[in-house]
Amino acid sequence: EFDVKLASTGRIYRITKDKSIVAALSEAGVSIPTSCEQGVCGTCLTRVLNGEPDHRDSYLNEEDRMKNDLLLPCCSRAKSTMLVLDL
Ligand code: FES
């Protein structure tokens, strides 16, 4: 479990184990464009302003992963207790 904070509104959303970031935000009325929902296409690519992503996609390369400033929220999660997303 971890929290996602949206930079634009400052609102915080709890992401439970059974849901992706995209699914949890969508239920809360925040939609992120998606296509494959499997971390392959890059459609949902989102900028990370703070926190450490747990990358589970197959879209970003090693260099992108290490920068911790992008994530694919259809499948990736967080290693830190909170991620601040540029949404
Ligand atoms: Fe395809 Fe997230 S929707 S990578």
Side-chain angles (χ1 to χ4, degrees), residues 33-46:
T34 58
S35 178
C36 72
E37 306 215 4
Q38 290 175 28
V40 177
C41 71
T43 304
C44 65
L45 189 67
T46 300

Side-chain angles (χ1 to χ4, degrees), residues 2 15 30 32 43 45 52 55-57 67 70 73 79:
F2 57 97
I15 313 297
V30 179
I32 297 174
T43 304
L45 189 67
E52 188 182 355
H55 295 292
R56 303 204 181 165
D57 63 278
K67 284 191 204 151
L70 292 171
K79 286 183 183 160

Side-chain angles (χ1 to χ4, degrees), residues 63-77:
E63 199 178 320
D64 289 336
R65 282 171 208 283
M66 278 162 49
K67 284 191 204 151
N68 285 338
D69 63 353
L70 292 171
L71 124 146
L72 283 306
C74 65
C75 60
S76 291
R77 307 191 65 83

Side-chain angles (χ1 to χ4, degrees), residues 18-30:
D18 55 325
K19 288 200 184 108
S20 67
I21 298 175
V22 162
L25 290 183
S26 156
E27 278 177 20
V30 179

